[in-house]
Structure formats: C-alpha cells, structure tokens
Amino acid sequence: MSSEANPGRHGPEISPGLDTPRVKEVIALERTNHLKNVGFVSTRIAGTDGVSLEIEKWAHVLERNGFHCFYFSGENDRPEETCMLVEEAHFLHPDIQAINEDCYGKRTRSPKASERIHELREFLKQRLYEFLRRFEIDLLIPENALAIPLHIPLGVALTELIAETGIPTIAHHHDFSWERERFLVNAVQDYLCWAFPPNLPSVEHAVINSLAGHQLSYRKGISNTIVPNVYDFANPPPPSKVCPEEIKASIGLKEDDLFILQPTRVVPRKWIERSLEIVHLMGLENPVLVISHSAEDEGDIYNERVREYAADLGVRLVSIEHMVGPPEEDHNGTNDKKYSIEDIYRCADLVCYPSGYEGFGNAFLETVYYRKPIVVNRYSIYIADIEPKGFETIDIEGFVTRRTIEKIHRVLGEPGHRERMVEKNYELGRRYFSYEVLERLLLHLVDRLQTRHGSL
C-alpha cells in the first residue's frame, strides 16, 4: 500500500472538490439507508497494542452482524482492499513529532506550530472525505484519535468532518489527556477543549472503564457508555500447532525452566521491576522472565534501566518481541520464524502483570482466556472494574512481599489449586468480558445512532 500525497514544505496540496456541498449531499443521502459500512480511524491499526487489538474485536463483532469494515490510518496490517493508508496520520510521522515537541511541556506554542497544525488538519480532512467516498462509509468509529492528543491535526480534522457532515459516529476512547502526565503542561489547551473529545450531536461516546466515564462526564459534560475490553470466551483457544518445548528451545531455555511471562511493552508504567523482584525472590534456580513486547514507542532509557536491574538481581531476562508476529510470516524454518502471542501464553507457567496504570487491561483478559495464573498489581481500573467481579489472582499493592511469593509457590506446586483458579477465572471472563457483552453494548449504540439520524 502506498501513502497518499505528502504535504510539502509550504503545506499540503488539497484535492479540489472533496469538501463541496455536493459531496456532503451525496454522503448525507447514502446515510439515509441502513448503516452498513463502518470506517475505523486511528493513527495506527497494526500490531498488538491495546487499541489495535480492540479494533479487531469490534470489527469481528460488527462483521458477524452484517457490517463491512474499512480502515483509515498511518500504519495498517488489515487487508489492503479495505484500507486507506495516509502516512501523515501516524503519530510517529516527523511532522507530528515536531508539533508535539513544540506543544507539550510548555505553555505557549510558536506561530509555526499553529500554521503546521492547520495545514495538516486541512490535508487530513480532505483525505478523510475521500475515505468516506471511496468506501461509502455510513458509520465512523474514531479509535482513540479523539481522546489522547498524540496527533492534534487528525483529532481536529475528524472533529470538523463530523461537524460538517453529521455522520453517525461512535468515538471509542481508550486514554484521555488528563490521564497522562506528559500532556498536563501544554500549549494546545484550545484544541484539547474543542476536539479531545468533541461534544457533537451525532457522536456517541464509548469509554473502556468506569473511572474514565465519570471523568468525561465531569470534565466535559459528555454522557457516555462503558464498553469494556473483551475476549472471545465463547470459543476456547484451539490446540496449538507449536509445542512449548520448541519455543523454549528457540529462546535458549531448557525444558524444565520456569517460563515467567510479562506480556507488555517495555515502558515505565508497566513496572517490570516488580516482575524481576518476583523472579529473584522465588529463590529457584530455573525461572526466566520473558518480555513479549518491545520498547520502540518510548525509547531505550527504561529498557536499559530494566536490564541493569535484572543484572543486579541476578535474574535471567529474555526479550522475544522480535519473535512475536503473525505465524504466516514464518520463513521456511529459519531464525526469522514467528510465533503468535497465543503460542507464547501457552508456554507460560505464570504471568506477571504489575502495571502501575492501565486503561483497562488486555493482558489480564488474555491471561484469563489462556487459563494461566496471574500476579497483578491492584491498579485503579483493576480495583474499580475487574476485581469486584471475583477473579482469583495473586495480587500485590505496588510491592512484592513474602506472602506474594508463598502464594506463587502454592500455585506452581499444587496443580489442583491452579486448575480451580484458572477455570473460575475463565467462567467469570465469559460472563463479564465476552464478545457477547460487546455485541449487546455496541449494537445498542448503533441502534441509537440509527434512530437519532433516521437511518432505519
């Protein structure tokens, strides 16, 4: 897939005729029929980050209910015929990174930053109009693009597009600016108040946890629906085509080594130090801490800190992010062979999830789905939305104690106890966080939009 036209030094070239009254009229007429074509919009729809994973789940639920899904983003791994790729929509695009450097950690921004924001806003809005036309989009689903301000021009472009067309929209919010320290001091409060998120009549807002829902109502006066992250608990995982011994051997582990998995990226809020302390305090010769995801989004400083701490504690730490990917990317049995994240979970004897903050907790649900015992830090969303459901875990309060280690030894040493724990958790996952739960909530939002906009 190739990118759309790139903006030059003096601003993007705008395709004529995409923002005309006639285009808006055509879009409006198309929406009078039953909503059927859904357009997901995000900066990145690829890989195993939480937003991309939830997009895949929403799309699956929508498609099994007769909808057709299409994707607009700066990076995409969905089928090419369903995608519109625009490089400038990526939050890592150099122009966007330059804007962010000029706008965060300070109270005023340069005139050049304002000019560039508006140039890219207009460019991206025209590309979005083209996306609506190309795929005859009836329903728009911005994924975090109207919540976390990593890409200000895209958020503002989306807000203007929705205001101009009145297109039915479900804004799916994963993280808000007020939840991240890096955005607290900024020079773009005008845009944050206006577009992150916007309060528009054709938009239904979906948040992933109750605390975010309360804050959105309190700060913006916006009503919203809590749609938690989910997993397909109605369909248990199929048997693996790869034996755990193969994966262990490929990363240098012996067959009897304990595989302690932290299925997260290497970023500070994941608190990998706690997992290293757990492995150290277990007092065994053979546990290995395995990290499944990369540190590419936030640099190498924390990664270096983690590796130094592992060395200080004498803990063996293995990163396998280069080995995790779609199995179809295998290269004839060479060292480039990829394993799915499902294969990695099946290897785990224990999962560590000591995050200090999570928007919800995809890795928690994945652990429950693959029936593995879990050590979890009691982060705020876990306390509010997950723990009350009754899951049986080994929990910590930000630090590791002797009691934590005793519980781990019992789980690893008593198969019957471990089996009862993981089966109970699976049934609770099926009840509260299944695709069927998502289906009820999501179709209700679609019905509300169709009724409101006369689309039936």
Side-chain angles (χ1 to χ4, degrees):
M1 294 178 286
S2 62
S3 169
E4 302 299 317
N6 293 319
R9 288 183 57 194
H10 303 292
E13 294 182 6
I14 305 302
S15 299
L18 294 179
D19 193 15
T20 64
R22 176 57 184 160
V23 170
K24 296 178 185 178
E25 179 183 349
V26 170
I27 293 171
L29 287 172
E30 289 170 346
R31 289 205 316 273
T32 59
N33 298 320
H34 184 79
L35 303 183
K36 62 179 180 178
N37 291 342
V38 179
F40 287 93
V41 179
S42 191
T43 62
R44 173 179 62 188
I45 306 176
T48 56
D49 65 278
V51 174
S52 296
L53 290 173
E54 290 309 299
I55 291 173
E56 183 176 356
K57 296 168 190 176
W58 278 42
H60 179 85
V61 167
L62 288 167
E63 287 171 349
R64 78 183 189 184
N65 282 276
F67 294 85
H68 307 292
C69 295
F70 304 92
Y71 308 92
F72 177 103
S73 63
E75 179 185 355
N76 213 307
D77 60 7
R78 273 43 175 185
E80 183 174 357
E81 64 274 12
T82 66
C83 298
M84 182 169 171
L85 187 67
V86 179
E87 291 180 357
E88 292 78 10
H90 204 299
F91 68 94
L92 292 178
H93 189 277
D95 285 350
I96 303 308
Q97 289 188 304
I99 289 171
N100 289 345
E101 289 174 5
D102 204 6
C103 293
Y104 294 117
K106 56 190 71 174
R107 294 295 187 186
T108 59
R109 63 177 182 265
S110 68
K112 181 179 179 181
S114 297
E115 179 182 356
R116 198 63 183 134
I117 287 171
H118 286 290
E119 289 174 342
L120 283 164
R121 180 263 308 162
E122 186 62 25
F123 172 76
L124 289 167
K125 186 171 71 169
Q126 299 303 331
R127 302 285 78 74
L128 286 164
Y129 265 109
E130 186 176 339
F131 176 63
L132 297 189
R133 291 200 317 162
R134 180 185 299 181
F135 297 112
E136 300 179 337
I137 300 300
D138 306 302
L139 172 65
L140 203 60
I141 304 183
E143 286 283 349
N144 225 26
L146 294 174
I148 196 164
L150 276 172
H151 198 309
I152 296 167
L154 180 60
V156 176
L158 274 166
T159 298
E160 287 192 356
L161 176 91
I162 296 165
E164 291 167 3
T165 63
I167 186 170
T169 301
I170 300 174
H172 191 191
H173 308 308
H174 299 252
D175 311 274
F176 291 108
S177 61
W178 55 79
E179 297 173 339
R180 299 292 182 88
E181 290 183 1
R182 65 178 293 192
F183 302 123
L184 295 182
V185 177
N186 67 79
V188 287
Q189 197 61 39
D190 48 345
Y191 298 121
L192 298 189
C193 291
W194 176 36
F196 293 92
N199 193 354
L200 295 171
S202 66
V203 180
E204 288 285 344
H205 296 265
V207 298
I208 64 175
N209 64 70
S210 61
L211 300 186
H214 295 155
Q215 285 295 308
L216 181 56
S217 297
Y218 172 73
R219 291 170 179 267
K220 294 271 193 171
I222 294 176
S223 62
N224 55 81
T225 300
I226 301 169
V227 182
N229 290 4
V230 297
Y231 225 84
D232 191 11
F233 287 99
N235 294 295
S240 177
K241 298 179 181 179
V242 181
C243 63
E245 291 75 18
E246 176 187 330
I247 297 177
K248 282 188 170 184
S250 68
I251 61 177
L253 273 64
K254 299 176 183 177
E255 186 174 341
D256 61 346
D257 284 340
L258 283 174
F259 194 114
I260 313 298
L261 175 65
Q262 173 143 355
T264 70
R265 292 178 296 134
V266 184
V267 294
R269 65 186 175 90
K270 303 299 183 180
W271 283 9
I272 297 172
E273 294 91 339
R274 301 294 87 79
S275 296
L276 292 169
E277 291 163 3
I278 286 170
V279 174
H280 171 69
L281 292 171
M282 286 173 67
L284 303 174
E285 294 182 359
N286 62 338
V288 180
L289 181 62
V290 179
I291 308 294
S292 60
H293 292 55
S294 73
E296 64 180 7
D297 287 351
E298 301 195 30
D300 291 330
I301 296 177
Y302 182 65
N303 191 29
E304 292 174 4
R305 145 72 177 162
V306 166
R307 296 194 174 281
E308 290 172 357
Y309 195 48
D312 291 343
L313 293 177
V315 171
R316 187 175 174 190
L317 176 66
V318 177
S319 174
I320 59 170
E321 56 94 8
H322 61 287
M323 300 172 56
V324 179
E328 59 267 20
E329 293 182 8
D330 290 359
H331 296 284
N332 301 319
T334 68
N335 291 333
D336 294 324
K337 185 171 183 179
K338 299 287 185 179
Y339 298 100
S340 69
I341 191 65
E342 291 86 356
D343 294 328
I344 303 304
Y345 269 104
R346 288 186 175 94
C347 287
D349 297 294
L350 178 73
V351 173
C352 287
Y353 196 46
S355 294
Y357 171 80
E358 290 290 343
F360 185 82
N362 258 318
F364 181 89
L365 294 184
E366 290 171 348
T367 302
V368 171
Y369 181 72
Y370 290 105
R371 291 179 166 90
K372 298 296 180 179
I374 185 170
V375 181
V376 59
N377 181 55
R378 298 180 70 244
Y379 58 92
S380 58
I381 306 307
Y382 176 82
I383 293 171
D385 291 350
I386 298 176
E387 188 176 60
K389 303 297 190 289
F391 289 95
E392 192 168 343
T393 67
I394 304 166
D395 57 61
I396 62 175
E397 297 276 3
F399 54 90
V400 183
T401 66
R402 183 174 63 182
R403 186 178 179 186
T404 305
I405 303 304
E406 290 173 352
K407 289 182 178 179
I408 291 172
H409 283 309
R410 184 188 177 196
V411 166
L412 295 178
E414 298 181 17
H417 171 64
R418 181 172 65 251
E419 186 67 18
R420 287 190 297 273
M421 173 189 289
V422 299
E423 288 301 323
K424 174 185 176 181
N425 288 346
Y426 191 94
E427 290 306 313
L428 289 172
R430 187 203 303 265
R431 182 184 305 175
Y432 295 111
F433 302 112
S434 67
Y435 277 21
E436 288 65 38
V437 171
L438 170 61
E439 193 165 48
R440 290 194 297 271
L441 294 168
L442 185 51
L443 294 183
H444 175 66
L445 291 175
V446 174
D447 287 342
R448 286 176 61 174
L449 286 170
Q450 289 187 145
T451 301
R452 185 185 308 165
H453 294 274
S455 299
L456 288 175

